[in-house]
Amino acid sequence: MNLFSLRTGIGYDVHRLVPDRDLIIGGVKIDFHLGLLGHSDADVLLHAITDALLGAASLGDIGRWFSDKDPKWKGISSLYMLSEAGKMLRQKQAKIISIDSVVICDRPKLLPYIPDMKLNIASALDVPADCIGIKGKTSEKLGFVGAEEGIESYATCLLAVGS
Ligand code: MG
């Protein structure tokens, strides 16, 4: 009998919006006058998804594997970190069933970029794009997101882990 267990994971991330940085979300460079600040490319969505996957597989969080104190990871593509997390999951016989996520910002509008984000994530993780959900939500101009001081993201995932 083929035994497996189902595991959920949750991830959250936030990065500050600043001038003179590219805005990269879901591995897509987005045309905007501000970008996200971080040690890596500061891809807030991919960091939330990576944390959800690592958490579901009991592999800690993104900082455990890609410390923002380590100069080796400066400017690194978050798609690379996501794909490395995917490899770690495969080594644990953990199969990704679904990922769902939300990115919260009032501007820019993310909808036109979501198909490319899904393709990037599907390719990095070697999963079908239709098991990935990405939603852009606004903050109704409330709080730090509404003030365009930062962008935040939440992600969940469901894994089937072999035993
Ligand atoms: Mg981050």
Side-chain angles (χ1 to χ4, degrees):
M1 193 161 69
N2 200 4
L3 291 175
F4 65 90
S5 59
L6 294 174
R7 298 201 190 173
T8 62
I10 183 169
Y12 169 80
D13 199 27
V14 60
H15 281 268
R16 186 180 293 273
L17 275 169
V18 295
D20 303 319
R21 285 273 299 188
D22 288 337
L23 178 61
I24 298 173
I25 302 180
V28 178
K29 188 173 169 187
I30 294 172
D31 187 25
F32 195 52
H33 68 291
L34 301 171
L36 293 172
L37 182 64
H39 188 67
S40 66
D41 63 6
D43 191 321
V44 67
L45 170 61
L46 297 192
H47 293 184
I49 290 174
T50 303
D51 264 358
L53 294 171
L54 291 173
S58 296
L59 287 166
D61 66 12
I62 196 168
R64 172 174 160 190
W65 302 98
F66 304 97
S67 168
D68 62 5
K69 308 286 184 290
D70 189 336
K72 182 167 66 171
W73 305 123
K74 186 163 173 53
I76 190 176
S77 162
S78 299
L79 278 171
Y80 172 78
M81 295 192 277
L82 182 66
S83 110
E84 288 297 300
K87 280 186 205 163
M88 288 184 233
L89 262 56
R90 285 194 286 280
Q91 281 164 8
K92 289 195 82 168
Q93 274 81 51
K95 179 178 160 48
I96 298 166
I97 297 175
S98 70
I99 292 168
D100 198 12
S101 61
V102 187
V103 181
I104 307 163
C105 60
D106 294 78
R107 292 193 310 161
K109 291 295 174 207
L110 299 179
L111 192 60
Y113 301 100
I114 286 177
D116 282 344
M117 293 179 189
K118 282 190 185 182
L119 289 176
N120 285 341
I121 295 162
S123 168
L125 293 172
D126 199 17
V127 299
D130 68 1
C131 79
I132 300 164
I134 304 172
K135 298 174 291 295
K137 300 293 285 185
T138 71
S139 72
E140 300 286 338
K141 297 196 169 18
L142 292 167
F144 72 86
V145 171
E148 294 189 344
E149 293 171 352
I151 294 179
E152 60 182 345
S153 180
Y154 296 84
T156 63
C157 69
L158 183 64
L159 305 183
V161 182
S163 58

